[in-house]
Amino acid sequence: MAFLEIDQVSFTYPKHDKPVLTEIDLQFDRAGITAVVGPNGCGKTTLTKLMIGVLQATEGEIRLTGRPIADFSLAEIGRRVGYVFQNPDLQLFCGTVAEEVGFGPANLGYEPAAVAERVGFYLDYFELTAYRNTFPMHLSHGEKQRLAIAAVLANEPDFLILDEPTTGLDAYRKRLLEDYLKKIARSGRGMILVSHDTAFVDRVAERVIVLENGRVIEDSRRKGKAADEA
Ligand SMILES: Nc1ncnc2c1ncn2[C@@H]1O[C@H](COP(=O)(O)OP(=O)(O)O)[C@@H](O)[C@H]1O
Ligand SMILES: [Mg+2]
């Protein structure tokens, strides 16, 4: 049984006639890095929102660990699947950068010392330590993007969905993100990476799904990527 199954899913936004996604059939294991690519407006973000239960399929069914996603609360889905929004402004809500990273682990019930340790690690890795007491909305776009990723990774979820995570990152910080995503994949967790950034996708993805006009037009494996690298 796949971790996440998308079974003949179609989706039309309420009060619209034209379906955004049509008869999508996909399965994802809790392993490896899968990229979802395709032109602007082809339905990538909509597909990821269906996967985390924020939107409900018009037709078909999505199952998480074999159970219909409609049977889970959003919080239950959130504990299993970490989601990095395309727009970090929609994700960040805490008063300081450090609180933003610590919120998830504290909510998962970790002891304050363990929370502080994780916060320290992720702030350091994403080079945000200097901003630990800064109000997140005062950061630059690239810093917000790094913070949004750090805050989701700090929960150490089994599966991750990242929607355009390289937006606003410079080449060096993309490389750091690449290293970290590969490290996560090697630790036996899976992820879906929605991206326009073909160079980044080429470096990290083991499987590439191409969407066009709301349909899957290609689903291919690529050899010699993250999982093989030591
Ligand atoms: N909330 C919404 N209501 C109506 N239409 C929407 C909404 N969000 C996105 N769309 C439309 O759905 C299509 C797919 O959008 P989206 O999933 O954001 O694509 P992508 O992430 O691939 O750029 C686009 O035509 C977009 O205009
Ligand atoms: Mg999008």
Side-chain angles (χ1 to χ4, degrees):
M1 175 187 71
F3 177 70
L4 187 63
E5 297 164 280
I6 302 180
D7 185 1
Q8 282 292 307
V9 164
S10 297
F11 178 77
T12 306
Y13 278 100
K15 303 195 188 111
H16 286 69
D17 327 314
K18 196 175 164 289
V20 168
L21 295 169
T22 308
E23 293 168 4
I24 304 284
D25 257 321
L26 290 169
Q27 303 202 331
F28 299 92
D29 292 326
R30 203 164 45 191
I33 303 178
T34 301
V36 175
V37 303
N40 230 331
C42 70
K44 303 182 296 296
T45 295
T46 302
L47 180 63
T48 64
K49 286 184 177 167
L50 287 161
M51 291 173 180
I52 56 163
V54 166
L55 295 173
Q56 282 87 44
T58 313
E59 283 171 57
E61 186 174 76
I62 298 186
R63 289 180 295 272
L64 185 62
T65 58
R67 268 172 63 203
I69 201 146
D71 292 358
F72 292 85
S73 69
L74 289 180
E76 286 170 329
I77 297 166
R79 279 196 289 276
R80 292 164 176 82
V81 181
Y83 186 78
V84 179
F85 282 72
Q86 179 163 4
N87 179 355
D89 287 342
L90 300 178
Q91 183 176 331
L92 303 174
F93 63 96
C94 290
T96 71
V97 164
E99 281 169 34
E100 196 76 58
V101 178
F103 181 85
N107 214 35
L108 289 172
Y110 285 91
E111 297 292 327
V115 172
E117 191 184 322
R118 277 199 196 188
V119 169
F121 174 82
Y122 286 99
L123 290 183
D124 182 46
Y125 191 87
F126 288 96
E127 300 186 348
L128 292 164
T129 305
Y131 306 114
R132 62 179 304 132
N133 298 315
T134 302
F135 180 50
M137 288 301 136
H138 290 165
L139 299 174
S140 72
H141 184 80
E143 289 156 359
K144 284 180 191 168
Q145 187 74 48
R146 271 144 59 205
L147 175 57
I149 294 167
V152 171
L153 293 181
N155 297 321
E156 303 189 345
D158 286 339
F159 196 86
L160 264 175
I161 299 175
L162 304 108
D163 194 357
E164 306 281 2
T166 62
T167 311
L169 300 191
D170 61 30
Y172 162 72
R173 293 200 166 92
K174 280 185 198 178
R175 178 63 73 171
L176 279 181
L177 179 64
E178 173 188 340
D179 289 347
Y180 203 81
L181 297 183
K182 288 177 175 176
K183 184 174 152 190
I184 293 174
R186 284 197 302 273
S187 75
R189 287 176 282 167
M191 86 190 69
I192 293 172
L193 169 74
V194 171
S195 188
H196 260 105
D197 188 335
T198 47
F200 191 77
V201 166
D202 283 343
R203 294 207 302 269
V204 304
E206 293 138 77
R207 175 182 172 198
V208 178
I209 292 165
V210 184
L211 276 187
E212 203 178 280
N213 285 323
R215 290 180 187 268
V216 174
I217 60 160
E218 191 185 324
D219 184 353
S220 55
R221 303 249 160 212
R222 299 192 180 177
K223 277 188 121 60
K225 294 296 178 200
D228 306 324
E229 290 171 24

